[in-house]
Amino acid sequence: MTLSPTTSQQAAIDHDSGNLLILACAGSGKTETLAHRIAKMVKDGVRRESIVAFTFTNHAGAELKHRVRQRLETMLPSEPSLGDMYVGTIHSYCLKVLRERKEDFRRFEVMDETRQAALLASNFYRFEDSGRGIGLEKLLSRTRMKTFGDTLHTFMNTLNVLHQQRLDLRNIEDNVLAKTVENYREIVYGYPNYFLDFNQIIDDLIDFLEKNKDQLMKLRSDLSHLFVDEYQDVDDRQERLIDLLTDSGCGPHLTVVGDDDQALYGFRGARVENMLGFEDRYPNVTTVQLTENFRSTHAIVEIADEAVRKISHRIPKEPVARVFVPDGSPKEHLADPGDVQLQRFTTEADEAAWVAKRIEELRGTVFKEKNGEERGLDYGDMAILLRSVRGAGTDFSKALRDHGIPVVVSGTGGLFDNDEVRLIQASFSLLAKSDFYLPGKDGKMQLINTVGTREFIRKKIADLRHSNHFGDSANSTHYLSWIDKMRADLDQRRLSRDERDVHKGSRIYPQALFQKMLQELGILEDNWPNDIMFNMGAFSNLLTQFESVHQWITPARLKSLCVFLSIWGARHVDEGGISEVASLNSVKIMTVHASKGLEWPVVFLPRISSHVFPSSRRNQPLNTFLPENSFNSDTYVGGDDAERRLWYVGLTRCAKFLNVSTLDRSRKRPTAYFKEIAHDCVSRNGTDSTPRRKTSPQPPAYADMLQTTYSDLATFRRCEREYQLRTLMNFSPGVGEQFGYGQQIHNILAEIHQKAIDGTPIDASEIEELVKTRFHLRYTRGDPFKAMQEAAICSLTRYVEEFGDKIMDSRAAEKSFELLVPDSDALISGVVDLLERRDALDVPPSQREIVGLVEFKATRIKSLKDYEKIHERVQDQIQLYALGVRYAFSQDPQQADIHIISHAEFPEELEQQGVKARIPIDVTPPTLRKAQEKVKTTIEDIKKGITNSNFPKTGVAEGQCKECDFRVFCSGYREFISNSRNVTKTSTPEEDRKEEMDQLIEETYARSSSE
Ligand code: SF4
């Protein structure tokens, strides 16, 4: 179906002078309009690399790129690539610019909120003797609840306010707070962490540009158009950056897109005033309003519009409901009587039962999609949106599950509401000799002593067996005695080096302990259901977040993991399996905040009752450790307007069947939001006067692109079960001491190549110094660190000595690409290590630039077998990357190589066969066509697996189990061992990593003593 832009969309697309404000009502096609506008600019000759578009999330960035590409394929079929256009989050942009302009930033890694919490939890105390830690305990007594969790959250709020309002701690005259913030900054930004939180990235770029005017001028002159999506949710620091980049709107053209009625993040410091005052602050502004809603019926549009008109300060709009007509003008999208249901209940249970009944009633009802096709509604078409999911979310999920309705709940911190997860948490508490808290009946946390914790474990195992979640192999006596044995082992590791068993180090790996727990609970013998496995995967992922910020975990420091689990994990981490791909056909329960940007044919908005929606806490100030008068606290108080905006967002998620309900009894009354709803299509007595056609329910097609990477595809090809465990369930492998080595090598290589591109190449004699200043590993110290640093010096010096001339051909280092595989609706992202100049003299200048593609592998090849394995594995990757470069840029990789970076010499048997560090890979057009077909087949198979929730253990027959990260708890490994008579050695992944490390240390010593 051809969808022509509406008149106002066309005006936004064509605008070509000055700055542009696009006010886009819900459902008005803003992403499509933005994509069309960007594509048209490229067609009109704007350089791709001079376009920068900020999106609110990575997901939104991928969606926008995809649509720009689609448009370019029609408008500019000869060259539809996006090239070096930047489309993504503002944070990633800041990091990219900083890394390009200040080499020191290459060592930094972005830290999200969960890792920030893990780092705060594991450094909570300040140990004055060692000088380590943040010292948050000094602020604990200043919080309302006087708990660790409260202190941690209040401190995180404080850090945000300090950044957003650009406060100088020296002016606040609070030495304790100032010292705590200083400790935090030292630990996060300093050696060996080198983390940047989201706030710091923006601050660093602003500071850098303000201090380096020449760099600012250069950045501005490289930029012709800046786009900012979701502009209503930009905070003051982000606005400062936008202002800097566009020279207050007098330099590069600025297009901002958003809807002030959908501003949701005031409580985090976002300021809708930036949008409301845009026309006054920036010069030469044209405003275009997109008011045609192509999502919802006229009933929903009118109800939502009425609700939002009561906001005190907003931009007036006149939204209308529209439906596309093929090759014609849109017409009004009319609702049917009974589409909107309003209901009152005296009890929560009655309300939840009605929701379940209504879901069953609507299932199978014929629904017309935007493209005109009809199908029967299914569970995946429905959502329950709540002001706060905690508590209420569980009421609804329980009622729905009692009716056999599949449901996923997000935003509850609900992971720890599950018996199997609490059981693992209790097990870690016993191992760490740490306090174990559980929420009591009154909701307050209660301390459980060791005897109680053991009893709790016994009971949970019995319950899980009783509910058939665990099988007969889960035996509490056996499990508790295993915990006792592990505790004794950890006690041994606590001893000083002299007193310890010679084979025991002090370091422990929580992920390996966790995998062992699963084994002891019978995972290898019993078939655990998927919902248990998804939750275990979510727990595994949480451990990884902790391990990634906690360098060296000793038995004594295991306590900080328990603190992190109880003060962050239990409050913030959702159940496993809530992602769209993992639960395609389930009713979604989530907060209205989380529903932003989503839509469903059927939406429930229950509990529109006093204290709940609008929230009775809407006027509460933000909790921080800062004195009240030291910052503009009003910014963070949502008040009535913010609550109404949230209500508007909730209403406009719905396409057709809107169901609003409330409690109506003493002290729980319907609120104004409920009472205000008035429309001809509303039914208040549960009746529906419109005859509804029924058909077989058909789940929504997986509408989103499958966003994936080569590494995911390779995992699936290795073993489908491994793909499910790793990619969908989020199980993580353990973190070994080598962790990060390959990345460090890649970072330094990128710097070497960038210097060559900039015309300041590095000499082999400078490598040692470069490695010593840049190389760092967060999880390694002592001999292992020295061995790896030495290995890095040796490998990189050899590379520069042998390939110095080639390095001068560097064209681009670490280039990110995205490839939309034709006819497969999958977006594959990757980063090419190096593109080299390969200009052919006989190629006319108008054609694509010919380049060579190089992929580095920091690995050691010991035998012909190793070589063959690497070759086979990496050639698929390189062929895919060659396709990616062709797709994303106007370059054509006609040659490609794997380059082995190793501290060790190549084995003689390979040298004799002429195998060198650079191994050529075939990227001729027929080979790439085959590679593309192979990728398409893999994607189809993955999608089939997702639809049927079927991922067999194909790794057994493929012989992959021997090296699988999950072999400790996947029964496929046992099958593999019993099938392969010649495999006698069975080691764990942890043991393999240790053996590899020991060998590296041995080689380093052997080399240094021979020098
Ligand atoms: S152990 Fe074998 S069957 Fe199990 S996930 Fe790994 S490769 Fe697949």
Side-chain angles (χ1 to χ4, degrees):
M1 178 164 72
T2 313
L3 302 178
S4 312
T6 63
T7 313
S8 45
Q9 285 173 343
Q10 195 65 55
I13 292 164
D14 292 340
H15 173 80
D16 65 355
S17 67
N19 301 306
L20 177 65
L21 166 65
I22 305 177
L23 274 168
C25 295
S28 62
K30 81 175 159 74
T31 309
E32 194 52 44
T33 306
L34 203 54
H36 203 150
R37 175 164 164 74
I38 294 173
K40 182 171 179 297
M41 279 177 184
V42 174
K43 182 174 178 276
D44 291 346
V46 173
R47 287 178 305 115
R48 293 166 169 84
E49 61 273 25
S50 71
I51 296 174
V52 169
F54 294 150
T55 55
F56 201 62
T57 60
N58 288 325
H59 189 273
E63 180 67 31
L64 181 57
K65 277 188 218 175
H66 168 48
R67 297 211 196 181
V68 174
R69 168 80 192 200
Q70 276 184 327
R71 282 282 163 197
L72 282 173
E73 279 172 8
T74 319
M75 297 165 82
L76 202 58
S78 60
E79 191 49 84
S81 65
L82 265 59
D84 286 330
M85 180 187 300
Y86 177 86
V87 181
T89 64
I90 203 164
H91 300 104
S92 301
Y93 174 80
C94 293
L95 193 61
K96 174 181 169 293
V97 174
L98 283 168
R99 280 185 174 159
E100 283 167 1
R101 283 160 178 75
K102 258 182 114 178
E103 276 142 8
D104 205 31
F105 275 94
R106 286 180 183 275
R107 73 172 79 176
F108 282 91
E109 203 181 303
V110 178
M111 178 174 70
D112 64 14
E113 239 190 2
T114 303
R115 290 208 285 171
Q116 187 184 28
L119 191 131
L120 287 167
S122 61
N123 291 282
F124 200 92
Y125 289 95
R126 176 83 175 176
F127 300 102
E128 296 304 342
D129 51 342
S130 64
R132 293 216 194 102
I134 295 173
L136 281 167
E137 76 280 7
K138 295 201 172 112
L139 297 170
L140 196 138
S141 61
R142 296 195 199 171
T143 58
R144 207 158 36 95
M145 322 266 285
K146 317 236 173 326
T147 61
F148 288 110
D150 216 8
T151 312
L152 184 137
H153 287 100
T154 308
F155 188 65
M156 284 167 88
N157 288 344
T158 308
L159 293 171
N160 286 343
V161 173
L162 285 172
H163 149 80
Q164 281 156 355
Q165 305 218 356
R166 200 85 178 124
L167 300 182
D168 188 338
L169 272 172
R170 284 169 300 192
N171 300 336
I172 289 171
E173 293 179 4
D174 179 341
N175 292 341
V176 175
L177 179 62
K179 183 68 189 144
T180 317
V181 172
E182 196 183 301
N183 294 341
Y184 165 82
R185 288 177 176 163
E186 261 171 30
I187 289 175
V188 172
Y189 312 136
Y191 170 85
N193 282 323
Y194 299 120
F195 282 122
L196 289 174
D197 54 37
F198 287 145
N199 292 332
Q200 193 61 35
I201 303 173
I202 295 183
D203 278 348
D204 281 345
L205 183 58
I206 291 175
D207 289 350
F208 175 74
L209 295 177
E210 283 179 340
K211 283 183 195 141
N212 297 277
K213 295 286 180 217
D214 54 328
Q215 293 283 353
L216 176 60
M217 295 304 166
K218 169 94 179 63
L219 199 57
R220 275 184 196 156
S221 68
D222 289 345
L223 179 66
S224 65
H225 288 82
L226 177 66
F227 294 83
V228 185
D229 192 11
E230 304 287 2
Y231 184 64
Q232 74 283 350
D233 285 323
V234 156
D235 70 31
D236 279 350
R237 290 300 280 163
Q238 292 166 338
E239 176 62 17
R240 171 74 190 126
L241 181 66
I242 293 163
D243 183 86
L244 261 184
L245 292 176
T246 60
D247 194 9
S248 306
C250 299
H253 300 288
L254 177 60
T255 299
V256 299
V257 191
D259 180 3
D260 56 306
D261 291 337
Q262 296 186 66
L264 295 190
Y265 292 101
F267 67 96
R268 281 198 209 154
R271 301 226 316 137
V272 67
E273 289 76 9
N274 285 323
M275 176 161 243
L276 298 175
F278 184 79
E279 289 170 331
D280 301 328
R281 272 197 334 282
Y282 285 87
N284 196 12
V285 171
T286 302
T287 300
V288 175
Q289 286 207 9
L290 307 183
T291 51
E292 287 161 294
N293 181 328
F294 290 95
R295 176 189 302 153
S296 310
T297 59
H298 84 292
I300 294 167
V301 170
E302 288 168 14
I303 289 168
D305 184 48
E306 202 47 47
V308 93
R309 281 176 188 269
K310 296 183 174 64
I311 289 175
S312 60
H313 187 191
R314 70 185 280 267
I315 302 171
K317 307 166 198 86
E318 298 293 335
V320 285
R322 289 281 180 267
V323 65
F324 287 113
V325 173
D327 301 320
S329 306
K331 62 174 190 183
E332 192 169 9
H333 188 185
L334 292 172
D336 296 310
D339 277 5
V340 181
Q341 296 279 328
L342 292 195
Q343 286 284 332
R344 297 169 187 243
F345 299 93
T346 45
T347 71
E348 284 82 353
D350 287 350
E351 185 183 39
W354 173 74
V355 169
K357 186 168 150 269
R358 179 89 178 125
I359 287 171
E360 288 301 7
E361 267 170 23
L362 286 169
R363 189 163 177 247
T365 303
V366 172
F367 174 76
K368 199 183 250 188
E369 302 272 15
K370 280 183 198 153
N371 62 8
E373 284 175 14
E374 291 187 339
R375 66 180 173 85
L377 292 172
D378 211 340
Y379 297 125
D381 292 303
M382 311 189 197
I384 302 173
L385 307 181
L386 296 161
R387 176 64 183 81
S388 164
V389 174
R390 210 159 299 216
T394 317
D395 291 352
F396 287 102
S397 63
K398 192 172 170 319
L400 265 56
R401 282 175 183 147
D402 287 349
H403 283 75
I405 297 171
V407 57
V408 288
V409 195
S410 54
T412 51
L415 181 65
F416 284 68
D417 291 341
N418 293 286
D419 284 350
E420 63 278 11
V421 174
R422 283 286 184 201
L423 165 66
I424 300 291
Q425 186 194 6
S427 309
F428 271 110
S429 297
L430 276 188
L431 288 177
K433 298 185 181 169
S434 168
D435 294 339
F436 178 52
Y437 287 90
L438 274 179
K441 286 208 174 84
D442 56 359
K444 291 201 178 125
M445 298 307 276
Q446 289 177 359
L447 178 64
I448 315 288
N449 63 18
T450 308
V451 175
T453 307
R454 294 177 78 85
E455 210 28 62
F456 176 82
I457 289 177
R458 236 182 253 288
K459 175 149 187 350
K460 288 298 146 196
I461 291 178
D463 290 350
L464 285 157
R465 279 183 58 167
H466 184 69
S467 57
N468 287 332
H469 285 114
F470 280 180
D472 292 344
S473 312
N475 177 312
S476 50
T477 309
H478 165 82
Y479 185 65
L480 284 165
S481 77
W482 173 79
I483 288 190
D484 292 339
K485 254 193 359 239
M486 281 313 297
R487 235 166 100 151
D489 183 80
L490 294 181
D491 283 342
Q492 262 287 318
R493 289 168 186 256
R494 273 194 182 101
L495 299 174
S496 69
R497 191 190 283 253
D498 300 342
E499 295 169 292
R500 266 198 312 261
D501 179 330
V502 283
H503 299 296
K504 284 194 187 352
S506 63
R507 182 168 193 176
I508 53 168
Y509 297 93
Q511 197 74 245
L513 277 173
F514 168 66
Q515 293 191 356
K516 202 77 183 84
M517 283 175 194
L518 302 187
Q519 203 185 58
E520 297 299 324
L521 287 165
I523 193 172
L524 289 173
E525 287 78 19
D526 305 323
N527 205 4
W528 290 1
N530 265 355
D531 47 350
I532 297 276
M533 291 301 289
F534 271 108
N535 286 338
M536 290 303 189
F539 194 93
S540 166
N541 187 257
L542 196 57
L543 290 179
T544 300
Q545 308 275 5
F546 180 80
E547 285 183 271
S548 69
V549 297
H550 201 307
Q551 295 85 47
W552 191 268
I553 304 175
T554 60
R557 303 296 298 272
L558 200 56
K559 271 191 185 174
S560 39
L561 169 65
C562 297
V563 172
F564 169 62
L565 294 177
S566 61
I567 66 178
W568 183 267
R571 279 179 68 166
H572 293 274
V573 183
D574 290 331
E575 287 184 313
I578 59 160
S579 72
E580 195 66 18
V581 262
S583 56
L584 266 187
N585 198 24
S586 303
V587 175
K588 311 288 183 294
I589 300 182
M590 62 174 73
T591 60
V592 181
H593 276 105
S595 72
K596 178 85 189 294
L598 304 174
E599 61 180 78
W600 296 268
V602 181
V603 166
F604 290 86
L605 285 163
R607 305 275 163 100
I608 311 304
S609 326
S610 38
H611 308 297
V612 180
F613 210 167
S615 165
S616 52
R617 295 164 59 176
R618 63 189 179 280
N619 292 316
Q620 271 184 13
L622 184 76
N623 287 331
T624 72
F625 290 119
L626 295 162
E628 253 176 52
N629 55 2
S630 65
F631 69 103
N632 179 5
S633 54
D634 289 350
T635 307
Y636 302 90
V637 179
D640 293 340
D641 284 356
E643 231 24 48
R644 280 218 170 257
R645 291 188 191 108
L646 195 59
W647 177 233
Y648 174 81
V649 167
L651 291 167
T652 52
R653 298 311 91 196
C654 183
K656 184 167 174 68
F657 296 105
L658 178 66
N659 305 275
V660 186
S661 57
T662 180
L663 296 171
D664 193 356
R665 61 167 189 250
S666 155
R667 301 163 70 144
K668 275 273 177 230
R669 295 287 182 211
T671 60
Y673 293 0
F674 182 89
K675 290 192 253 175
E676 282 163 16
I677 296 178
H679 198 278
D680 296 347
C681 294
V682 168
S683 162
R684 293 170 197 277
N685 56 10
T687 57
D688 182 358
S689 56
T690 303
R692 309 281 177 188
R693 276 190 298 133
K694 289 277 190 174
T695 184
S696 306
Q698 194 189 332
Y702 180 51
D704 270 350
M705 285 170 298
L706 181 70
Q707 291 190 26
T708 187
T709 60
Y710 169 74
S711 139
D712 285 345
L713 301 184
T715 305
F716 185 84
R717 286 176 190 159
R718 258 195 325 265
C719 173
E720 297 185 19
R721 175 68 170 160
E722 187 191 339
Y723 175 86
Q724 188 189 32
L725 289 170
R726 191 188 290 269
T727 310
L728 300 181
M729 293 176 167
N730 272 324
F731 278 94
S732 308
V735 173
E737 293 197 54
Q738 300 90 322
F739 188 75
Y741 175 78
Q743 189 55 52
Q744 288 298 309
I745 294 279
H746 274 78
N747 288 350
I748 299 172
L749 277 169
E751 189 171 340
I752 292 171
H753 296 126
Q754 192 56 50
K755 282 200 180 291
I757 294 166
D758 297 342
T760 52
I762 287 183
D763 190 61
S765 62
E766 297 169 80
I767 292 293
E768 182 166 351
E769 192 49 39
L770 181 68
V771 173
K772 284 194 170 153
T773 44
R774 297 281 187 263
F775 188 86
H776 78 282
L777 294 170
R778 293 196 185 99
Y779 318 101
T780 313
R781 334 166 163 165
D783 287 348
F785 178 79
K786 278 190 223 144
M788 284 197 272
Q789 193 182 49
E790 197 50 44
I793 293 171
C794 180
S795 314
L796 292 167
T797 306
R798 171 173 299 150
Y799 171 66
V800 176
E801 277 170 357
E802 290 178 18
F803 292 88
D805 292 345
K806 271 205 159 313
I807 292 171
M808 289 312 293
D809 291 336
S810 301
R811 176 72 176 80
E814 303 251 304
K815 211 161 167 61
S816 305
F817 71 85
E818 261 130 3
L819 163 68
L820 188 73
V821 183
D823 307 323
S824 70
D825 219 5
L827 188 77
I828 302 175
S829 49
V831 180
V832 173
D833 287 341
L834 179 65
L835 292 178
E836 290 179 335
R837 275 195 195 85
R838 286 281 189 285
D839 289 339
L841 291 174
D842 53 352
V843 174
S846 61
Q847 287 199 0
R848 295 184 142 221
E849 181 189 3
I850 310 296
V851 288
L853 185 159
V854 186
E855 192 61 22
F856 293 99
K857 289 290 152 199
T859 187
R860 183 176 173 189
I861 294 190
K862 293 187 210 147
S863 62
L864 184 58
K865 215 165 133 206
D866 275 358
Y867 162 73
E868 285 167 351
K869 215 160 83 184
I870 290 265
H871 188 273
E872 193 195 329
R873 216 172 56 208
V874 184
Q875 80 169 357
D876 278 0
Q877 180 186 354
I878 291 193
Q879 287 163 353
L880 178 73
Y881 281 19
L883 286 167
V885 170
R886 267 199 74 84
Y887 179 88
F889 312 110
S890 51
Q891 285 161 326
D892 185 6
Q894 291 196 355
Q895 201 180 335
D897 300 274
I898 313 170
H899 195 124
I900 305 295
I901 298 284
S902 172
H903 62 283
E905 300 284 345
F906 255 47
E908 247 177 55
E909 61 169 329
L910 285 175
E911 296 270 2
Q912 279 162 8
Q913 294 191 26
V915 176
K916 299 225 165 71
R918 219 165 233 227
I919 306 164
I921 298 290
D922 181 2
V923 286
T924 53
T927 310
L928 291 190
R929 274 196 293 278
K930 272 194 216 147
Q932 184 162 307
E933 283 310 305
K934 191 171 167 187
V935 171
K936 261 172 69 179
T937 309
T938 308
I939 289 165
E940 275 163 25
D941 291 344
I942 290 177
K943 288 191 169 179
K944 258 187 241 155
I946 290 170
T947 310
N948 304 324
S949 194
N950 181 26
F951 294 91
K953 295 171 196 146
T954 49
V956 178
E958 299 285 325
Q960 299 292 346
C961 303
K962 207 166 108 209
E963 292 179 359
C964 177
D965 286 326
F966 307 128
R967 61 187 186 266
V968 174
F969 66 92
C970 174
S971 59
Y973 185 51
R974 286 196 174 176
E975 285 173 45
F976 169 76
I977 294 288
S978 68
N979 293 350
S980 4
R981 283 196 210 106
N982 52 357
V983 178
T984 48
K985 186 178 155 240
T986 54
S987 55
T988 63
E990 190 189 345
E991 286 161 352
D992 282 359
R993 283 192 289 265
K994 187 163 175 349
E995 195 182 314
E996 224 178 281
M997 193 69 239
D998 289 346
Q999 206 184 342
L1000 180 64
I1001 295 173
E1002 219 172 89
E1003 284 167 8
T1004 314
Y1005 279 125
R1007 201 172 38 244
S1008 48
S1009 51
S1010 71
E1011 277 166 3

